[in-house]
Amino acid sequence: MKISEIKNILKQLKEVSFILPNGSHVPPHFHITELGIISKEYIDCGGTIRKDKTANFQLWTADDLDHRIEPEKIIDIIDIAENSIGLGDLEVEVEYQTETIGKYGLEFVEGTFHLSSTQTDCLAKDKCGITEKPELPSDTSSCCSPTTGCC
């Protein structure tokens, strides 16, 4: 989901809610503690140099149970970021603290934002000779054996 999509959705909402991939809800008293641009420049395992840029929302909950952020306030935060740090119409990722800081995609389904699971992937499968993701053995004690295919 891109920044422009979020702004258009927020203009139609009376309240904002988020659901985690496991079905639990981000408490309604969440804060948006950061909105920024994440730039990543890296080399994949095939030697290709890549650059990614995303808009990053960080959600956080405290114990101020009466706090509720209105859709208009989120639009204001986005507007400030567009004007002050040059936030463009970037793809959005969301950070939220569970067991550790989780990085999620964002979807909007039936009036609610859903944090979607993200996963790693090999970006150079053609150069690595990988045709599909190998299955890890159920006995993890031998996971790093050269015969397992996971190393």
Side-chain angles (χ1 to χ4, degrees), residues 34-89:
E34 294 179 11
L35 171 54
I37 300 169
I38 303 292
S39 297
K40 181 177 174 183
E41 188 169 353
Y42 57 100
I43 297 174
D44 68 24
C45 60
T48 301
I49 297 172
R50 298 178 184 265
K51 294 180 182 182
D52 289 326
K53 207 182 241 193
T54 56
N56 180 271
F57 280 83
Q58 186 180 78
L59 305 181
W60 179 72
T61 54
D63 43 356
D64 62 336
L65 302 178
D66 294 327
H67 178 86
R68 299 291 184 275
I69 190 165
E70 302 292 328
E72 298 82 24
K73 177 64 175 172
I74 299 172
I75 292 171
D76 289 345
I77 293 168
I78 293 170
D79 288 343
I80 291 168
E82 288 174 330
N83 293 322
S84 60
I85 63 171
L87 180 69
D89 194 21

Side-chain angles (χ1 to χ4, degrees), residues 2 10 32 66 101 103 121 124 134 136 141 149:
K2 292 189 171 254
L10 289 169
I32 294 179
D66 294 327
I101 297 173
K103 179 177 157 181
D121 193 8
L136 296 178
S141 64

Side-chain angles (χ1 to χ4, degrees), residues 2 4 23 35 37-38 54 57-58 66 88 92 94 100 112-113 115-116 137 143:
K2 292 189 171 254
S4 60
L35 171 54
I37 300 169
I38 303 292
T54 56
F57 280 83
Q58 186 180 78
D66 294 327
V92 173
V94 178
T100 187
T112 305
F113 287 104
L115 303 181
S116 56
C143 179

